[in-house]
Amino acid sequence: MVTTHSIPVVDLAAFTKGDAASKAAFVQQLGKAYEEVGFVAVKNHGIPDKLIEDLYKYVQQFFALPADVKRSYEIPELAGQRGYTSFGKEHAKGFDAPDLKEFFQFGQTVTDGDPIAKEYPDNVAVKELPAFTPTCTAAYKAFEASGISLLQAIALYLGLDEHYFDLFVHNGNSILRAIHYPPIKDEPKSAIRAEQHEDINLITLLVGASADGLQILDKQNNWVPVTSLPEQIVVNVGDMLQRLTNNKLKSTTHRVVNPPRELWGTSRFSIPFFLHPKSEMPLNCLENTIDAAHPREYEPITAGEYLDERLREIGLKK
């Protein structure tokens, strides 16, 4: 069943620029939304409108390139972590049918001499679009900065030091993913462009998809369409944060459904930023989230081990 109600809206400026009372109110508002819904819309997120506009422009230009040109940027041994992944390669955990999408992934650029740089493959430059890489780099850094502010608020809500996550996510393994859901030409085997799933990472920041289709599963098991205003981004909890908080913060199930038949001829573009920590971050359940009513739900694991396990489950890694 699909129902309609809006996801909570929070103002990040209240946290980054407000007084102590505004900051504390934001922390409670964000934390409660993540306990109850798992998704929020964020305004005053700090990612410039012009940068978002440029990013969408170059992403659309990339996906409009001939198929053989796009495939020249597909590097199978990188398991989709950099460059292009062609249509039908990825599926949701627990589902065999591939999602109806192609995508391009852009990763961390280490500029401060941190030896972690050797863990990350180079980003894939698209020679046909000279502005593509610099725009992705700028967008990546803007998303990362916004995400770090949100994680600082989450840390306070969890009773941790405000900067608990900072060192773990500095030069972390985050991914900017540009997704193209092409026009639907034939009767699809599934009514789903992307089958229901939860994200792997700590939090996901999603900037204005070009068409409707995103739905989240609420606590009453209803599918709720998610729409945000042009000046907002949508940010949800991922499985790593759910695991760390022993299910206190919810990783919400979501999917992308096909448009009405009259819109089958249209593309959908979406650009999520998956905020990941460094691979050595322990995801062991925080002690203050464990009590008699909430026993420990997960075994200790690092972020790197967990990511590896999940990439195999969704078919990107063999």
Side-chain angles (χ1 to χ4, degrees):
M1 176 183 170
V2 175
T3 186
T4 302
H5 54 72
S6 56
I7 60 172
V9 179
V10 297
D11 183 351
L12 186 55
F15 183 77
T16 56
K17 297 176 181 168
D19 58 19
S22 301
K23 193 169 171 175
F26 176 88
V27 166
Q28 290 306 308
Q29 192 183 6
L30 183 71
K32 284 196 166 37
Y34 281 156
E35 278 199 49
E36 293 164 9
V37 185
F39 267 78
V40 293
V42 180
K43 60 183 183 179
N44 293 317
H45 45 73
I47 304 164
D49 290 344
K50 177 70 169 69
L51 181 55
I52 293 170
E53 188 184 313
D54 285 350
L55 183 62
Y56 265 94
K57 177 174 74 178
Y58 295 124
V59 160
Q60 291 177 359
Q61 287 177 10
F62 172 78
F63 287 116
L65 291 170
D68 59 332
V69 174
K70 288 186 289 189
R71 276 197 297 271
S72 72
Y73 296 111
E74 187 161 21
I75 306 167
E77 59 270 24
L78 293 184
Q81 294 307 289
R82 297 291 185 276
Y84 177 64
T85 297
S86 50
F87 187 80
K89 287 279 175 71
E90 185 181 66
H91 58 82
K93 178 182 174 181
F95 293 87
D96 293 329
D99 290 340
L100 308 179
K101 68 188 181 195
E102 55 181 345
F103 57 90
F104 190 99
Q105 293 208 153
F106 191 89
Q108 183 66 263
T109 308
V110 177
T111 56
D112 59 2
D114 187 335
I116 201 169
K118 67 181 184 301
E119 289 185 25
Y120 300 139
D122 291 338
N123 279 306
V124 176
V126 178
K127 59 180 184 291
E128 290 80 3
L129 300 170
F132 186 77
T133 295
T135 304
C136 286
T137 303
Y140 188 105
K141 292 301 176 191
F143 273 112
E144 193 173 48
S146 184
I148 287 170
S149 295
L150 289 162
L151 285 174
Q152 288 168 350
I154 290 167
L156 290 171
Y157 185 74
L158 295 170
L160 304 169
D161 179 84
E162 180 176 338
H163 301 287
Y164 175 84
F165 291 101
D166 291 16
L167 275 178
F168 291 125
V169 296
H170 172 70
N171 287 336
N173 192 23
S174 298
I175 291 287
L176 182 68
R177 172 185 275 199
I179 307 172
H180 175 221
Y181 301 92
I184 299 167
K185 297 191 171 73
D186 306 302
E187 191 71 40
K189 291 190 178 73
S190 162
I192 301 288
R193 275 177 156 167
E195 191 52 84
Q196 65 183 65
H197 64 283
E198 297 78 43
D199 292 341
I200 299 170
N201 40 288
L202 290 170
I203 56 174
T204 300
L205 294 80
L206 175 69
V207 62
S210 67
D212 292 341
L214 179 63
Q215 297 180 344
I216 65 171
L217 191 64
D218 71 11
K219 282 189 167 177
Q220 289 71 46
N221 273 342
N222 294 315
W223 287 105
V224 180
V226 173
T227 51
S228 61
L229 296 172
E231 69 275 11
Q232 298 172 354
I233 60 173
V234 172
V235 185
N236 64 278
V237 172
D239 284 352
M240 286 185 183
L241 190 56
Q242 175 174 271
R243 193 175 182 115
L244 184 75
T245 64
N246 199 36
N247 293 340
K248 179 179 174 71
L249 303 186
K250 299 286 185 288
S251 177
T252 301
T253 302
H254 53 287
R255 66 183 185 181
V256 178
V257 297
N258 296 341
R261 185 177 283 269
E262 64 270 18
L263 296 176
W264 276 11
T266 58
S267 282
R268 181 180 191 271
F269 296 92
S270 173
I271 307 177
F273 180 81
F274 300 120
L275 200 155
H276 282 265
K278 294 172 181 168
S279 59
E280 70 263 21
M281 179 183 180
L283 298 179
N284 309 354
C285 300
L286 295 165
E287 290 300 325
N288 66 355
T289 62
I290 302 165
D291 56 32
H294 305 92
R296 185 190 308 273
E297 294 286 347
Y298 303 103
E299 290 304 308
I301 196 170
T302 66
E305 289 164 344
Y306 185 63
L307 175 62
D308 194 63
E309 181 183 294
R310 290 292 300 275
L311 289 176
R312 292 177 198 283
E313 287 173 346
I314 63 175
L316 286 180
K317 211 167 187 178
K318 301 298 182 229

